[in-house]
Amino acid sequence: MWKHIAANALTFLIVAMFLFGGVIVWGTNEYSAEGPLDQAICLQVTPGSNMRIVSESLAEQDAISSPSIFRMGVDYSGKASALKAGSFLVPEGASMSEIVDIVTQGGQSTCGTEIVYRVGVTRVVAQVRELDPATGRFVELASFEPSEVEETPAEYTETREANDTQYRVVISEGVTSWQIVQALNSLEFMDGSVSEIPAEGMLAPNSYQVRPGDSVAELLTDMEAAQARILATAWAERADGLPLASPEEALILASIIEKEASTSDERFDVASVFVNRLNQGMRLQTDPTVIYGVTQGQGVLGRGLRQSELRAENPWNTYVISGLPATPIANPGADTIRAALNPADTDFIFFVAKTLNPRDGHNFAVTLDEHNANVAIYRELEAARAASEGN
């Protein structure tokens, strides 16, 4: 009898092990299989949340088939403690495994409602926008210039009061360090105020995600570190034979190119003009350096240059001095720094705007006669506009 009982017990154990193994295989496949979500969603993970709360939220939104399998998969992968707070875009059909990666690997939110402060060369714009998960595109809810309005839009106020609002500061290429500091100091949700202006050119234009209470000084430090990395990499990958003695000189040249290039495509040609002029011992003769000598980077000149300013002796006026100006004249972007250190192979030493619209780019020339012809075309366009405005 005991042999019979033992045999039955062994059989039961074998069957149980087989069934258990089948459950594990099924659960593993379910964890990695395409999920039931038929349209992308924005998953909110609040600070202090955990994987149980996240799994229940996902189940309520029909993004996963089983909260239990989701949590077991998280535990098995060892990622339970890596959950990040934020708003995360979960694409349609995402598997449980992919969702876990989304909420544990990302350092920044990828969807939701955000307030974006765009620091441009001529103005600062506050924008309220929300990502539409279905299309993957942001929908603008409000846009305004903080310095130009007496009362902020209701959409901005409501978004500022929401707990899950994200904040982003976008620095445009060609903005000066003074402009950046002034803009950051004016942001009501950031902590502290900075009086010392970082070195011109050493703040990387980019998009920076920030949080209420973040320090202005720390954000500037991050920008400086980013620019230092960009410059070091570009310098290490520079072309041979450049008339630049140091990364600092490369940054100065890049800042001039940033101010002169009208389109991203012509950065390398503009770079070639200035490199060719430096190699030939010609003065750079570029207006943005004169403007910087007048404003010291503190705002926009807002008018044409005077003859007295073109003749003024200062460390930035490249109509008067030879070689590069004393410092950068703005903060150039990464692509422009790379262009300065890898210019196009041309013989160009002149350029002038093609049309009255700066976005149309420039006409480049090798000889003075070619350049004068291009200038004559531009002057005709100016005269035509003046005549039409006079009528």
Side-chain angles (χ1 to χ4, degrees):
M1 182 179 72
W2 290 109
K3 289 183 179 180
H4 181 69
I5 294 175
N8 286 341
L10 180 60
T11 300
F12 177 79
L13 180 61
I14 292 172
V15 171
M17 292 176 63
F18 178 79
L19 292 175
F20 182 69
V23 170
I24 291 176
V25 172
W26 173 78
T28 302
N29 290 338
E30 191 74 4
Y31 183 70
S32 302
E34 181 177 327
L37 194 61
D38 59 8
Q39 182 172 297
I41 62 170
C42 188
L43 177 66
Q44 306 289 332
V45 181
T46 58
S49 189
N50 56 47
M51 285 299 184
R52 175 176 289 278
I53 296 173
V54 170
S55 67
E56 292 172 353
S57 175
L58 288 167
E60 290 173 1
Q61 299 180 74
D62 296 323
I64 60 175
S65 58
S66 170
S68 298
I69 292 176
F70 181 87
R71 292 194 294 271
M72 285 189 289
V74 170
D75 291 337
Y76 182 77
S77 65
K79 297 179 179 179
S81 62
L83 180 65
K84 303 290 192 303
S87 301
F88 302 101
L89 181 65
V90 179
E92 63 179 82
S95 68
M96 296 186 211
S97 175
E98 291 169 337
I99 295 174
V100 170
D101 286 342
I102 289 171
V103 298
T104 59
Q105 292 181 357
Q108 295 188 347
S109 297
T110 54
C111 66
T113 304
E114 65 177 14
I115 293 177
V116 183
Y117 287 90
R118 300 186 182 278
V119 183
V121 174
T122 60
R123 60 179 183 161
V124 176
V125 176
Q127 181 184 35
V128 183
R129 63 181 194 171
E130 183 176 29
L131 183 73
D132 179 1
T135 63
R137 296 180 179 179
F138 279 97
V139 177
E140 185 177 285
L141 305 179
S143 181
F144 63 98
E145 295 182 47
S147 63
E148 299 296 323
V149 298
E150 294 183 1
E151 184 175 348
T152 56
E155 294 87 349
Y156 173 83
T157 303
E158 293 169 0
T159 305
R160 278 280 288 117
E161 294 174 350
N163 293 328
D164 59 347
T165 298
Q166 302 157 50
Y167 295 83
R168 189 177 302 278
V169 175
V170 180
I171 307 298
S172 300
E173 293 88 348
V175 175
T176 67
S177 295
W178 181 89
Q179 290 175 311
I180 294 173
V181 169
Q182 296 305 304
L184 296 183
N185 283 344
S186 71
L187 299 184
E188 58 186 350
F189 67 88
M190 294 201 72
D191 185 37
S193 181
V194 172
S195 57
E196 184 175 350
I197 308 300
E200 194 69 84
M202 278 308 300
L203 300 177
N206 209 334
S207 175
Y208 297 88
Q209 188 165 9
V210 294
R211 297 179 184 275
D214 280 357
S215 163
V216 171
E218 289 179 359
L219 178 55
L220 290 170
T221 298
D222 291 343
M223 292 179 181
E224 288 182 284
Q227 192 75 319
R229 289 192 298 269
I230 292 168
L231 183 58
T233 299
W235 180 257
E237 298 172 352
R238 68 188 184 279
D240 294 330
L242 295 176
L244 302 171
S246 66
E248 291 72 25
E249 288 192 357
L251 195 65
I252 294 172
L253 178 58
S255 72
I256 298 173
I257 297 167
E258 191 70 80
K259 285 295 191 179
E260 286 284 22
S262 299
T263 67
S264 58
D265 292 339
E266 68 175 18
R267 289 189 185 107
F268 295 90
D269 284 338
V270 172
S272 75
V273 169
F274 293 128
V275 167
N276 290 340
R277 280 179 166 260
L278 289 171
N279 279 329
Q280 295 179 35
M282 298 176 63
R283 289 177 177 170
L284 297 185
Q285 296 183 321
T286 169
D287 288 358
T289 63
V290 182
I291 294 172
Y292 191 85
V294 175
T295 66
Q296 303 289 291
Q298 298 184 15
V300 180
L301 183 60
R303 57 170 174 79
L305 283 167
R306 301 170 180 145
Q307 286 299 315
S308 60
E309 292 166 339
L310 290 168
R311 294 192 298 268
E313 293 189 15
N314 62 61
W316 294 277
N317 188 350
T318 54
Y319 282 90
V320 175
I321 64 171
S322 298
L324 295 165
T327 70
I329 60 172
N331 290 281
D335 289 341
T336 306
I337 292 174
R338 284 190 284 269
L341 289 165
N342 292 275
D345 184 12
T346 78
D347 294 324
F348 297 145
I349 54 174
F350 301 102
F351 63 92
V352 66
K354 288 181 179 179
T355 71
L356 301 179
N357 183 350
R359 295 181 180 179
D360 290 337
H362 295 86
N363 283 318
F364 295 85
V366 176
T367 68
L368 182 58
D369 287 343
E370 292 172 342
H371 178 60
N372 287 338
N374 291 333
V375 171
I377 294 172
Y378 182 77
R379 296 302 183 208
E380 289 177 2
L381 294 173
E382 285 186 319
R385 180 175 64 180
S388 64
E389 290 177 350
N391 293 334

